[in-house]
Amino acid sequence: MLIDKTGLLLDNPSQLNYGIAVTDVDGDGAFELFVAGFGKRNLVLKWQGTGFVDIANERLADAERQAIGVAAGDLDGDGREEIYVLNTDVFAGRKQFGDRLFDWQDGAWHDLFSLPQNLDALNLTAGRSVAWIDRHGNGRYGCLVANYGGPIRLYELNSDGMLADIARDAGLAFITGGRGIVASPLVTERMDIFMANENGANFLFRNQGDGTYVDIAAIAGVSDPYEHGRGIAVLDADGDGRLDLVYGNWEGPHRLYAQYAPGKFRDLAANVMSMPSRIRTVIAADFDNDGYEEIFFNNIGQPNRLFGWRDGKWTALDIADGLEPRGLGTGAAVGDFDGDGRLELVVSHGESAAQPLSLYHAIPNHNFWLRVLPLTPQGAPARGAIVTLTANHRTQIRSIDAGSGYLCQMEPVAHFGLGQVEAIDAIEVRWLDGRITRIMTPEPNQTIRVPYPR
C-alpha cells in the first residue's frame, strides 16, 4: 500500500521529533508540515516541486525548548491560523518551559505568551495534546490543552484582547491524565470533544449549545476507564452516516466505537484491530482513493499497522514500506502536498532515540478523487466543519480535523477517493453554526475552496 519516499525530505535531521501539524505557515495558500522538535529545532517543511525543505526561521524553530504537541487554528479571527506549540520537559505536573502561541503580526511571528499581559495565563503544566475549539460556531477558535496531572486549559481572547483560560466557565477544567483529543460534531451539530485519558475514564464533552460542555462518556459507552488512551481518529466506520471513533490504548485493546444511535456507541473492533500495541498516532484517510478510508496505527518500537474496509469488515492490509518494525514512532500526519490527488503520510520518530522523519506515498493508481477546503467567515480553514459527498448512490462523510488525536493535526481538507466513479452527484458543507452550502455535480480531480455562505 505505502511506498517509501523519504528521499524527498531534503531537510531531515536525525533528532527527537514528536507532533506534526498541517497548516499554512507562510501564508501562500499552500499547506506546510510543522514538526515539533524535542530539544532541537522545530521544522517547517514546505513542498517546493522536487522535495520538502525547512523554511522555519529561528523564532519558529525555537531550538531551546522541548516541543511535543502542535496544532493550528484562527484565534483572533484575522483569517490566518495561529500555531500552538506544547512544550513538556517533565512527565507530569509542573514544568519549566512554557508553551508557545505563535501569531502572525506585522510581517513576523510573535509568541503571545511572551507578552506581559499574557504571562499570568501561561501553561506550566505538562501537557500531551492540543486541539482548536470553535464552541460558538462563529469561526473564532480557542485552544484546548490536554494536561497531565493538571487541569485542562482552554485559551481564548477576552474582550481586552488578552489570553484567558476559560476552561472552568466552559465546564472543561478537569484534572486528569489527558492524552489525545478530537473535536468535531460527534453527537450534536456543534463542536463536541472526545478526550482519551490515561489512568482514568475518557471524556466525551457534549456541546450544550451555549458554549458550555457536559461529560457524557459513561452514558455514551466510551469511558473505557481501565485503559490508557493515545491516538484518536474520527470517521464513519460502518457507512451509516454517523461519525464514529477509533483510538488506541497503550499496550491495551484498541477500540472502534461505532455510533449506533445519537450519542450511543459500541465497540466493533475485531481481534485483528484490537490487538494491543505500543500505539501513538491513529489516522483515518483514503490513501488509495478507492472511496473507503483506511486506518493507520503508528507504533513505537513495533511494526505499524494498516486496516481497510473489505467485504463488509475491517481487515489488516499489507502496509509494505510503511511497516517500520524498528521505527520509534511518535507522531504522524497526512496531506496532499504535491497536488497529485493522493495523500502523503509523514511519520515522526523519537522519544527513546533520534531518528529522521519518514515519508510515504500510496502506490500510483487511476482512481478519481475530490478535495474540499471549507473556510470560516474570516477566510481561515473551517476546522470542525462537516463535508459529505454523494456519488453512485453512496454518501461519504468527513470532519475537518481540528487536532490533536495525539500530539498531531491533519490537513484541514476533506479528501475523498472515488474509485472508478467519475460522476459526483453533490457535495455539502455544513458549518458549525448550521449554515450549509451545496455544490451540484462538481468535476472530480480538483480541490474546491468553499467560502462561508453570506
Side-chain angles (χ1 to χ4, degrees):
M1 175 73 78
L2 298 177
I3 304 172
D4 188 357
K5 294 288 186 177
T6 302
L8 295 175
L9 299 173
L10 304 181
D11 293 326
N12 188 16
S14 183
Q15 62 181 42
L16 301 182
N17 292 315
Y18 278 84
I20 306 174
V22 182
T23 183
D24 182 5
V25 177
D26 60 3
D28 69 347
F31 295 113
E32 288 79 45
L33 292 147
F34 191 109
V35 182
F38 188 84
K40 298 290 184 179
R41 61 182 286 120
N42 302 321
L43 307 174
V44 177
L45 299 178
K46 182 176 184 62
W47 175 255
Q48 293 197 331
T50 58
F52 291 85
V53 298
D54 181 18
I55 63 168
N57 61 24
E58 291 309 304
R59 181 164 292 171
L60 290 182
D62 207 16
E64 303 303 317
R65 298 270 171 133
Q66 297 179 342
I68 63 168
V70 58
D74 188 3
L75 175 75
D76 54 12
D78 66 352
R80 187 160 182 170
E81 293 192 310
E82 281 67 49
I83 304 170
Y84 194 107
V85 181
L86 179 64
N87 292 288
T88 296
D89 49 76
V90 295
F91 180 78
R94 187 172 178 83
K95 63 186 179 183
Q96 176 184 355
F97 293 119
D99 299 338
R100 301 290 199 190
L101 180 49
F102 292 112
D103 179 27
W104 181 261
Q105 298 178 8
D106 302 321
W109 288 100
H110 299 271
D111 175 26
L112 296 183
F113 281 124
S114 297
L115 300 178
Q117 64 267 30
N118 294 328
L119 290 177
D120 288 343
L122 183 62
N123 180 37
L124 288 174
T125 303
R128 291 299 184 272
S129 286
V130 185
W132 287 83
I133 311 298
D134 179 4
R135 58 196 181 101
H136 295 292
N138 59 9
R140 300 280 291 262
Y141 292 81
C143 191
L144 186 73
V145 182
N147 279 328
Y148 197 97
I152 297 168
R153 293 181 180 269
L154 176 57
Y155 290 108
E156 294 182 358
L157 291 178
N158 64 19
S159 58
D160 296 321
M162 298 167 56
L163 285 173
D165 176 15
I166 56 88
R168 185 173 300 278
D169 294 340
L172 298 171
F174 289 74
I175 296 175
T176 186
R179 285 288 184 173
I181 317 170
V182 289
S184 176
L186 286 166
V187 296
T188 73
E189 293 189 350
R190 297 282 188 171
M191 207 170 206
D192 308 306
I193 303 162
F194 177 76
M195 183 178 294
N197 295 319
E198 184 170 85
N199 297 317
N202 299 329
F203 298 137
L204 177 55
F205 294 114
R206 183 181 63 199
N207 191 318
Q208 300 194 91
D210 59 357
T212 66
Y213 290 86
V214 60
D215 178 26
I216 64 166
I219 62 174
V222 296
S223 60
D224 209 8
Y226 305 112
E227 301 300 333
H228 309 293
R230 293 295 191 272
I232 318 164
V234 173
L235 77 163
D236 180 6
D238 52 7
D240 67 354
R242 297 188 182 97
L243 290 176
D244 308 314
L245 293 163
V246 57
Y247 73 90
N249 283 312
W250 179 260
E251 297 185 329
H254 309 318
R255 307 298 190 188
L256 178 57
Y257 278 123
Q259 189 171 187
Y260 65 90
K264 301 291 184 181
F265 296 79
R266 57 175 168 240
D267 184 15
L268 298 183
N271 290 338
V272 67
M273 183 180 289
S274 66
M275 184 173 59
S277 66
R278 297 168 63 86
I279 195 162
R280 304 303 289 257
T281 303
V282 175
I283 293 174
D286 190 351
F287 291 105
D288 58 4
N289 284 342
D290 69 345
Y292 296 87
E293 290 180 283
E294 286 77 48
I295 298 174
F296 172 73
F297 283 1
N298 172 221
N299 294 313
I300 181 168
Q302 295 178 348
N304 298 326
R305 301 181 190 171
L306 188 69
F307 305 94
W309 184 257
R310 302 290 186 270
D311 300 322
K313 62 182 180 180
W314 287 97
T315 304
L317 302 179
D318 181 4
I319 199 170
D321 292 346
L323 191 67
E324 292 194 345
R326 291 175 294 277
L328 301 174
T330 51
V334 293
D336 178 19
F337 303 98
D338 58 10
D340 68 351
R342 288 182 293 125
L343 293 173
E344 289 90 63
L345 170 67
V346 179
V347 181
S348 60
H349 311 93
E351 189 160 299
S352 54
Q355 290 183 342
L357 302 162
S358 299
L359 171 66
Y360 299 99
H361 287 194
I363 297 173
N365 58 59
H366 298 290
N367 289 334
F368 295 101
W369 51 273
L370 186 73
R371 292 167 55 79
V372 182
L373 171 55
L375 302 174
T376 67
Q378 298 82 13
R383 296 189 184 268
I386 297 295
V387 185
T388 56
L389 178 148
T390 304
N392 195 31
H393 310 290
R394 179 170 170 260
T395 297
Q396 299 185 53
I397 183 171
R398 302 285 187 272
S399 176
I400 302 298
D401 190 63
S404 160
Y406 186 54
L407 310 178
C408 300
Q409 184 186 48
M410 308 305 127
E411 63 172 354
V413 180
H415 179 95
F416 297 96
L418 297 168
Q420 292 301 297
V421 177
E422 185 174 3
I424 303 169
D425 298 327
I427 57 172
E428 177 183 287
V429 178
R430 176 165 54 83
W431 281 263
L432 293 168
D433 63 357
R435 296 204 183 194
I436 292 174
T437 289
R438 294 185 180 90
I439 300 175
M440 306 304 295
T441 61
E443 292 294 319
N445 295 358
Q446 64 167 322
T447 298
I448 302 176
R449 297 171 69 90
V450 184
Y452 178 82
R454 299 292 180 181

